[in-house]
Amino acid sequence: MIGTTVAHYRIVEKLGGGGMGVVYKAQDLKLDRPVALKFLPPELTRDPEARERFVHEAKAASALDHQNICVVHDIGETDDGPTATGSPAGGQSYIVMAFYDGETLRKKIERGPMKLDEAVNFAHQIAQGLAKAHEHGIVHRDMKPANVMVTSDGVAKIVDFGLAKLAGRTMLTKAGSTLGTVAYMSPEQARGEPADHRADIWSLGVMLYEMLTGKRPFEADYEQATIFKILNDPPETIAREDLPKALEKILAKAMAKDPSARYARAEEMVNDLHSVQQAFEKPVEILGEPVRRRVLIP
């Protein structure tokens, strides 16, 4: 695909790929700007109903205007010929998104546990993006660190809204590559039950736990064992002396196994995370002058 042109997008380099498709950096020849092209696996949009669902979800996602949500510019379909996933025929659907200079949250986590303020900052940004999407009736259903881009300026951008709904239960049946996705599934998703916006809140809680510890709260060597832990086991206590009790409460509420015990709205989690952020810096007086210093409250 490198060097080829799809519609008016010239493909420059491959950025990555996974179960939901392959992503390339491309140049928009009309507007002369870099973009990201995500080619979806043909099976996701092969039948007319799935194709209609894909278009509906893409339109809904493109209508979201928020700094913590990736901008969707366009959707399209390739002509007949070789495709990004190696299919012999064309007709492969793709999404055109804004290109961001940065890396995924997954790569940041792979370098180890984050500083407390950094982890809370990213969680707060992601929660704000989810609150905006949920306000418009859009549920992500596949929140995980690989679906969050962090720009070089430190802004978190959620990507791939609606694709989990498009894929449905196939995420549970593909061997090997889906373990990461399963690890962030809410108990109701793991049981195969309908999931609403509270499933996204659960996944964000799992992501925050991982940012703080460098490991997932429910982890095993194979999918069924991971699902068993999600359904039955509490997460291991976080061994950090700098962890405030307020943040422990946020994690417990976000990862409550009963959806009714979680945050009812992402906006509530936004507010609680903001309160923790404010506690990091508290004004004190030295010789009558206000000075800000970093403190942690229980």
Side-chain angles (χ1 to χ4, degrees):
M1 295 291 290
I2 308 299
T4 63
T5 301
V6 176
H8 55 278
Y9 305 105
R10 179 176 296 140
I11 296 176
V12 178
E13 62 177 298
K14 183 177 178 179
L15 298 176
M20 289 296 186
V22 182
V23 184
Y24 292 90
K25 180 181 179 181
Q27 185 70 14
D28 184 334
L29 301 178
K30 284 187 177 181
L31 298 178
D32 192 24
R33 63 179 177 182
V35 295
L37 260 63
K38 181 156 197 169
F39 291 88
L40 304 184
E43 62 269 17
L44 291 190
T45 53
R46 186 167 289 154
D47 65 90
E49 182 180 348
R51 169 66 184 172
E52 183 179 352
R53 192 162 64 243
F54 161 66
V55 172
H56 172 76
E57 293 289 337
K59 284 181 178 179
S62 68
L64 297 174
D65 182 14
H66 193 274
Q67 66 173 355
N68 299 121
I69 296 176
C70 174
V71 175
V72 175
H73 293 311
D74 195 9
I75 58 173
E77 192 170 278
T78 61
D79 298 325
D80 290 341
T83 65
T85 55
S87 303
Q92 187 177 16
S93 298
Y94 61 86
I95 305 173
V96 184
M97 303 172 289
F99 173 79
Y100 300 107
D101 183 21
E103 62 183 350
T104 65
L105 186 60
R106 168 84 273 141
K107 289 189 178 296
K108 284 189 171 294
I109 291 175
E110 286 173 353
R111 292 196 282 270
M114 297 181 183
K115 294 179 180 178
L116 196 65
D117 56 350
E118 184 181 25
V120 173
N121 174 39
F122 287 139
H124 183 254
Q125 291 189 59
I126 297 166
Q128 289 184 105
L130 289 177
K132 181 69 172 183
H134 296 168
E135 178 186 326
H136 286 74
I138 301 176
V139 182
H140 194 288
R141 296 180 181 84
D142 192 26
M143 283 302 303
K144 57 186 177 183
N147 281 340
V148 175
M149 282 294 302
V150 179
T151 71
S152 55
D153 295 327
V155 180
K157 305 276 187 179
I158 306 172
V159 303
D160 283 3
F161 272 100
L163 292 193
K165 182 179 180 181
L166 184 65
R169 291 285 294 175
T170 58
M171 290 186 297
L172 274 175
T173 58
K174 292 182 180 179
S177 64
T178 61
L179 183 59
T181 294
V182 171
Y184 303 93
M185 278 186 176
S186 65
E188 58 269 29
Q189 286 175 294
R191 289 190 294 265
E193 299 170 357
D196 61 17
H197 60 282
R198 292 170 297 183
D200 287 346
I201 292 172
W202 164 281
S203 300
L204 177 53
V206 174
M207 292 164 63
L208 176 55
Y209 181 102
E210 189 175 9
M211 284 188 276
L212 293 168
T213 65
K215 61 182 181 180
R216 298 164 184 157
F218 309 101
E219 202 163 31
D221 293 333
Y222 55 96
E223 289 183 3
Q224 290 305 318
T226 300
I227 291 172
F228 179 87
K229 288 189 173 185
I230 290 172
L231 294 175
N232 300 284
D233 294 351
E236 184 178 337
T237 301
I238 298 177
R240 285 186 65 148
E241 293 183 357
D242 61 346
L243 187 71
K245 292 188 183 301
L247 193 52
E248 289 183 20
K249 291 178 179 178
I250 292 173
L251 285 165
K253 191 168 185 178
M255 289 192 289
K257 296 189 186 295
D258 181 354
S260 65
R262 285 178 219 148
Y263 287 100
R265 299 182 305 118
E267 187 64 36
E268 296 175 6
M269 189 171 179
V270 170
N271 294 336
D272 283 355
L273 287 167
H274 182 61
S275 295
V276 172
Q277 284 181 311
Q278 288 184 313
F280 290 157
E281 295 188 0
K282 204 171 185 179
V284 296
E285 284 194 358
I286 298 179
L287 299 179
E289 294 294 328
V291 178
R292 302 192 71 85
R293 68 177 183 186
R294 296 175 54 83
V295 297
L296 294 176
I297 64 171

